[in-house]
Amino acid sequence: MNKDLYKYILGIADNSLILAQRLGELCGHGPTLETDIALTNISLDLLGQTRSYYQYAAKLAGEDKTEDDIAFLRIEREYKNVLLVEQPNTHFGHVMARQFLFDVYHLMLMEQLQNSKDETLVAIAKKGIKEVSYHKRFSSDWVKRLGDGTEESKEKVQEAINAMWRFTDELFDVMEADKVMIEEGIAVDVSEMKETYYEKVSELLEEATLEVPERKYFTRGGKRGVHTEHMGYLLADLQYMQRTYPNMTW
Amino acid sequence: MSEQEVKNLEEIFEARIARDEKIEPKDWMPEKYRKTHIRQISQHAHSEIIGMLPEGNWITRAPSLRRKAALLAKVQDEAGHGLYLYSACETLGISREEMYEQLHSGKAKYSSIFNYPTVTWADMGAIGWLVDGAAIINQVPLCNTSFGPYARAMVRVCKEESFHQRQGYEIMLTLCKGTDEQKEMAQDALNRWWWPSLMMLGPTDAESVHTEQSMKWKLKRKSNDELRQQFIDQTVPQADILGLTIPDPDMKFNEETGHYDFGEIDWDEFWQVVKGHGPCNKERMKARVDAWENGEWVRDAAMAHAEKKANKNVAKAS
């Protein structure tokens, strides 16, 4: 098996799964019926992407591995998602700030991934790009609405952006496996996206009449499997059935 | 309008219904017709929205990615059904905010079934199979009901509901083909959802206060008891295929009538749940009211932003 490719795929796919899981918690609890539908829709898109990546990774791993083994039987230290996507849904402002900061990155990544030398990744990116552009439109519109809405909403979304900001720098970290894959023309060199990312995000925050936080102190670890304390609870929920009733068909 | 004029309009209206013509929002209609439809359509919409909660409860814990995706899609469909139904109801001159207010204050009801807890994964199967099954029996005749916007919403709703029902049955089938533990889980879910599903078809004909009028307006084509019998006759053979036992010792096929005879429904339990004292009534309402209240600042922000934008456009135009 190409271990570096396997790791690279999980590094992307885990972000989609964990964010889908977070959005899935919100079902029926949104501020309007329309946002409920939209957030479920985004969750479903991300889960669909996850499944495509995991199916590909399972095929690489061989030994009858399935997408479900990858999702339900890895421990916290083996999950490679960035810390940003595992942050809790504290309130709608946090949900939108997290989504927005991830979507801008995700769309850039998908655009680049279309140029990969790996055909399967190209196919997944081509399908995903339409979905991710929709996600980005939804989350940036809401950041604008909340930022340039009422005093209260401005304060709340600013606080949420500030809270999520320290997790953004990790998005551009390049792992050892990624380096090998970049060499082979398969992976996207995310470190090269960094400046453009912050330009795009800053432009939108300004349009939303919000302050762009200082780029000074950042937190990282997710890509190395060292997560925040939220992650264990999230996986406990996600994996409960497979851990309690192993080796069954559902 | 004089009494005579109203009477003439009523006669024309009744004749249109008799000819199976659709009544549309701008048509004249008796006040009672309008009110009955507002009650039924809004309660139907509320049921879709509250119905997201018991199933939403299992989204984060679904046992496979495929099941998780199907469950998310189903809950999304339900939110969509709520949306069409609220829109259909708004054509009768009530706003969504007013309908929410009625739901949150307890003035408007929603289907009693959603006051039962989903305690195992098998409940996702039982709900699809039994609850959506009973809903379809209730709703298919509504595709031909006299009020156009309601009938048209129901065509779409019914298509998706029958898809959900098949999905639910497939979950049950997978469990019943699985290990002993899985089969036990399926049987337990059937035991808990069977009687509440029968109650979804409403009180017995003798107790049903709206039936006669609803039959006249084609809001109903068959009585509650007839629909219940239809549901039982259709569902018992499906339980046989699963190898599960219906939790009713009096259930027996009657050669003479060609129908299944069944035991007495616990109507005390039904009325207790309808009056707000079922296992989850308090939790369901709290979840709804919390979502609404915690979301107020978000809705206010959206309104304020839209106003600012509109003002900017006016300023630009002048």
Side-chain angles (χ1 to χ4, degrees):
Chain A
M1 165 173 86
N2 184 339
K3 276 198 176 155
D4 293 318
L5 178 57
Y6 181 80
K7 279 187 195 160
Y8 179 65
I9 296 170
L10 292 196
I12 301 178
D14 288 353
N15 288 334
S16 291
L17 176 64
I18 299 304
L19 189 53
Q21 182 77 358
R22 275 289 182 232
L23 294 173
E25 292 170 8
L26 290 165
C27 209
H29 304 282
T32 65
L33 192 47
E34 287 79 357
T35 47
D36 252 344
I37 295 176
L39 293 176
T40 317
N41 200 338
I42 294 172
S43 176
L44 193 54
D45 286 343
L46 291 169
L47 189 60
Q49 294 165 12
T50 308
R51 294 186 64 198
S52 305
Y53 288 124
Y54 281 1
Q55 282 163 13
Y56 183 32
K59 217 166 77 186
L60 289 175
E63 296 169 31
D64 296 329
K65 259 212 185 343
T66 67
E67 56 175 20
D68 288 335
D69 295 333
I70 297 179
F72 297 107
L73 301 179
R74 270 185 304 151
I75 59 167
E76 190 179 333
R77 290 284 281 113
E78 295 170 303
Y79 261 89
K80 305 295 183 201
N81 57 282
V82 292
L83 300 179
L84 177 66
V85 293
E86 72 198 47
Q87 297 310 304
N89 296 324
T90 316
H91 64 55
F92 190 76
H94 288 91
V95 175
M96 282 304 115
R98 181 185 66 202
Q99 196 65 39
F100 164 67
L101 292 173
F102 183 71
D103 289 343
V104 173
Y105 163 82
H106 200 190
L107 185 58
M108 291 173 76
L109 177 72
M110 288 279 140
E111 279 166 349
Q112 298 272 330
L113 197 60
Q114 291 183 109
N115 305 324
S116 169
K117 281 187 179 159
D118 185 295
E119 278 175 27
T120 311
L121 289 180
V122 171
I124 297 174
K126 283 204 155 60
K127 182 173 178 286
I129 206 163
K130 289 180 210 139
E131 297 166 346
V132 178
S133 343
Y134 157 74
H135 304 169
K136 188 188 154 219
R137 200 176 70 213
F138 180 80
S139 61
S140 13
D141 282 353
W142 269 108
V143 167
K144 283 188 249 173
R145 275 189 205 108
L146 299 177
D148 193 16
T150 63
E151 277 304 310
E152 185 188 7
S153 69
K154 185 197 209 64
E155 202 177 295
K156 280 190 147 135
V157 75
Q158 182 72 62
E159 172 252 312
I161 290 281
N162 295 349
M164 298 290 168
W165 191 255
R166 68 188 173 103
F167 302 114
T168 50
D169 197 63
E170 186 188 19
L171 294 165
F172 307 99
D173 284 353
V174 176
M175 300 294 100
E176 282 309 311
D178 303 352
K179 280 181 194 156
V180 182
M181 288 296 102
I182 292 168
E183 287 285 306
E184 292 185 22
I186 289 176
V188 176
D189 186 352
V190 286
S191 65
E192 286 180 359
M193 295 173 8
K194 192 164 164 176
E195 289 313 310
T196 320
Y197 171 84
Y198 282 109
E199 273 166 33
K200 284 186 183 201
V201 166
S202 304
E203 200 181 303
L204 202 123
L205 289 178
E206 276 158 24
E207 201 188 322
T209 70
L210 291 169
E211 275 170 36
V212 182
E214 244 184 282
R215 284 164 66 182
K216 199 166 176 191
Y217 300 112
F218 289 106
T219 307
R220 45 180 30 86
K223 283 189 169 181
R224 292 164 179 81
V226 182
H227 292 274
T228 60
E229 291 175 352
H230 302 296
M231 187 68 174
Y233 294 94
L234 192 148
L235 290 186
D237 249 6
L238 175 76
Q239 300 182 336
Y240 157 67
M241 287 295 288
Q242 289 273 349
R243 299 287 189 186
T244 313
Y245 305 97
N247 303 315
M248 296 183 197
T249 304
W250 298 96
Chain B
M1 233 183 289
S2 76
E3 242 173 77
Q4 188 55 43
E5 280 169 318
V6 172
K7 224 179 143 213
N8 287 346
L9 283 169
E10 271 172 8
E11 272 167 26
I12 296 168
F13 177 84
E14 297 296 340
R16 290 187 60 192
I17 292 206
R19 286 196 301 270
D20 268 333
E21 275 178 35
K22 291 276 177 273
I23 306 301
E24 297 299 336
K26 285 187 174 165
D27 296 342
W28 185 88
M29 61 186 81
E31 209 35 42
K32 206 173 156 202
Y33 181 91
R34 183 188 303 276
K35 288 212 167 107
T36 299
H37 276 78
I38 288 179
R39 194 190 68 238
Q40 176 157 342
I41 301 171
S42 69
Q43 294 190 0
H44 191 166
H46 298 329
S47 301
E48 298 283 356
I49 300 314
I50 299 283
M52 294 166 73
L53 298 170
E55 291 181 289
N57 184 37
W58 275 88
I59 288 176
T60 59
R61 290 175 296 167
S64 73
L65 295 181
R66 184 171 84 93
R67 291 294 183 205
K68 191 194 285 285
L71 187 58
L72 269 167
K74 180 181 178 184
V75 180
Q76 194 186 344
D77 282 348
E78 276 157 13
H81 296 171
L83 208 52
Y84 319 145
L85 289 163
Y86 283 126
S87 306
C89 205
E90 282 181 318
T91 68
L92 290 163
I94 181 169
S95 70
R96 210 200 292 180
E97 279 64 33
E98 282 173 85
M99 288 186 260
Y100 280 157
E101 162 56 31
Q102 293 177 353
L103 173 66
H104 297 159
S105 67
K107 192 181 163 218
K109 301 269 181 283
Y110 55 87
S111 179
S112 60
I113 195 81
F114 300 122
N115 293 310
Y116 290 87
T118 52
V119 294
T120 73
W121 168 252
D123 292 15
M124 298 304 101
I127 288 181
W129 174 35
L130 302 172
V131 174
D132 293 335
I136 291 167
I137 294 231
N138 255 335
Q139 292 171 7
V140 164
L142 290 171
C143 297
N144 290 311
T145 190
S146 59
F147 186 56
Y150 194 25
R152 288 187 289 272
M154 291 318 296
V155 172
R156 246 178 111 174
V157 170
C158 283
K159 262 187 221 159
E160 291 177 345
E161 290 290 1
S162 50
F163 178 65
H164 298 161
Q165 197 208 1
R166 276 205 300 280
Q167 239 172 23
Y169 191 72
E170 204 228 298
I171 290 177
M172 294 303 274
L173 203 58
T174 310
L175 293 173
C176 291
K177 283 197 278 190
T179 64
D180 290 350
E181 256 173 315
Q182 285 174 300
K183 193 162 180 190
E184 207 175 293
M185 197 188 274
Q187 180 66 58
D188 170 60
L190 171 58
N191 294 350
R192 285 180 289 108
W193 291 93
W194 175 253
W195 294 103
S197 303
L198 296 189
M199 292 175 195
M200 276 177 77
L201 296 148
T204 55
D205 296 349
E207 296 270 334
S208 177
V209 287
H210 304 297
T211 297
E212 200 193 323
Q213 186 63 74
S214 297
M215 291 267 197
K216 253 196 201 157
W217 288 334
K218 298 181 174 170
L219 255 173
K220 234 180 192 168
R221 306 262 166 169
K222 288 180 183 170
S223 75
N224 293 350
D225 288 333
E226 284 174 299
L227 292 171
R228 190 160 18 243
Q229 187 69 58
Q230 188 188 331
F231 174 70
I232 290 170
D233 290 346
Q234 152 190 322
T235 311
V236 176
Q238 295 170 347
D240 289 341
I241 295 173
L242 295 172
L244 296 178
T245 314
I246 302 277
D248 178 358
D250 298 326
M251 172 78 58
K252 213 178 113 212
F253 189 70
N254 184 329
E255 296 286 349
E256 228 166 86
T257 59
H259 294 293
Y260 284 89
D261 292 337
F262 56 98
E264 187 65 31
I265 289 171
D266 183 350
W267 292 113
D268 290 341
E269 176 182 320
F270 174 77
W271 291 114
Q272 181 177 334
V273 176
V274 170
K275 286 178 182 155
H277 308 289
C280 298
N281 297 58
K282 303 279 184 290
E283 289 87 343
R284 300 295 184 239
M285 287 310 294
K286 185 176 186 311
R288 266 328 302 160
V289 172
D290 282 355
W292 186 248
E293 287 176 356
N294 295 337
E296 194 180 359
W297 69 272
V298 177
R299 297 189 301 274
D300 289 348
M303 292 296 288
H305 182 75
E307 239 165 74
K308 285 184 193 174
K309 251 182 133 172
N311 287 343
K312 263 184 214 159
N313 286 342
V314 170
K316 253 189 227 161
S318 60

